[in-house]
Amino acid sequence: MQHLSIVTTGGTIDKIYFDDKSDYKIGAPQIGEILGQLGVAFQFDVIPILRKDSLHVTDEDRALIRSTIEAQPHRHVLVTHGTDTMVETAKVLAAIPGKVIVLTGALNPARFQGSDAVFNIGCAVAAVQTLPDGVYITMNGRVWDPAKVRKNRAENRFEEVRG
């Protein structure tokens, strides 16, 4: 992989808490800074299209995510997305041909000490380079088929859907 297109949509990975009441806003995408600090050996561009909590992502937003990905000239695409509706968005992207698309996010903001953001981004970068064309989710150290995974909100993790 020589080039990675990164589409950002907001979510917890980009949240910034700014007062004592734990109010937050979705800030600028963190992934470009993270990859820059890590000194990755590939080129990338960050395409910020939304700054939303995924609970507020609409069908129109998913159509925008899809058209943005379809318009990218590169085969490898990483999408940062909020975890609550990541699976729904991944299913909308499933029919895009000729690309490896990996969605990831974080259960804690990237700016927080101990956040899973850097780990999840690393897993996503490895996955997007090694998997065949298709759509995948990387969370909790695993690569998931969007048709066979769900977020367990009570346990705050992703898990396989059985049956």
Side-chain angles (χ1 to χ4, degrees):
M1 179 181 76
Q2 296 299 312
H3 190 96
L4 178 62
S5 295
I6 302 166
V7 176
T8 66
T9 67
T12 297
I13 196 167
D14 292 331
K15 283 184 180 176
I16 301 168
Y17 288 83
F18 61 92
D19 71 15
D20 290 339
K21 296 179 193 169
S22 294
D23 286 339
Y24 70 89
K25 65 178 179 177
I26 305 224
Q30 299 296 300
I31 190 167
E33 184 177 323
I34 290 168
L35 292 176
Q37 290 173 350
L38 295 174
V40 296
F42 54 85
Q43 295 180 345
F44 62 90
D45 57 290
V46 178
I47 305 148
I49 59 171
L50 299 172
R51 283 192 184 186
K52 287 189 170 186
D53 184 298
S54 71
L55 291 173
H56 303 293
V57 171
T58 65
D59 290 341
E60 292 78 19
D61 294 329
R62 287 186 177 89
L64 174 62
I65 296 166
R66 181 183 171 124
S67 65
T68 300
I69 291 169
E70 288 173 329
Q72 298 312 305
H74 305 289
R75 179 173 169 252
H76 301 94
V77 180
L78 191 156
V79 179
T80 61
H81 196 288
T83 58
D84 284 319
T85 64
M86 183 184 293
V87 172
E88 289 84 347
T89 298
K91 290 176 179 176
V92 169
L93 305 177
I96 298 175
K99 294 192 183 295
V100 183
I101 303 164
V102 176
L103 289 83
T104 197
L107 299 170
N108 295 294
R111 292 185 175 198
F112 279 24
Q113 181 69 27
S115 172
D116 57 334
V118 173
F119 179 72
N120 291 339
I121 290 167
C123 287
V125 167
V128 78
Q129 293 180 72
T130 57
L131 292 168
D133 291 358
V135 178
Y136 307 90
I137 290 174
T138 58
M139 289 294 298
N140 302 112
R142 301 253 328 251
V143 177
W144 304 95
D145 175 343
K148 298 178 182 174
V149 69
R150 70 179 185 99
K151 181 178 178 184
N152 179 329
R153 288 188 178 101
E155 299 289 328
N156 205 28
R157 64 181 169 85
F158 280 70
E159 63 189 17
E160 186 175 357
V161 174
R162 300 198 186 264

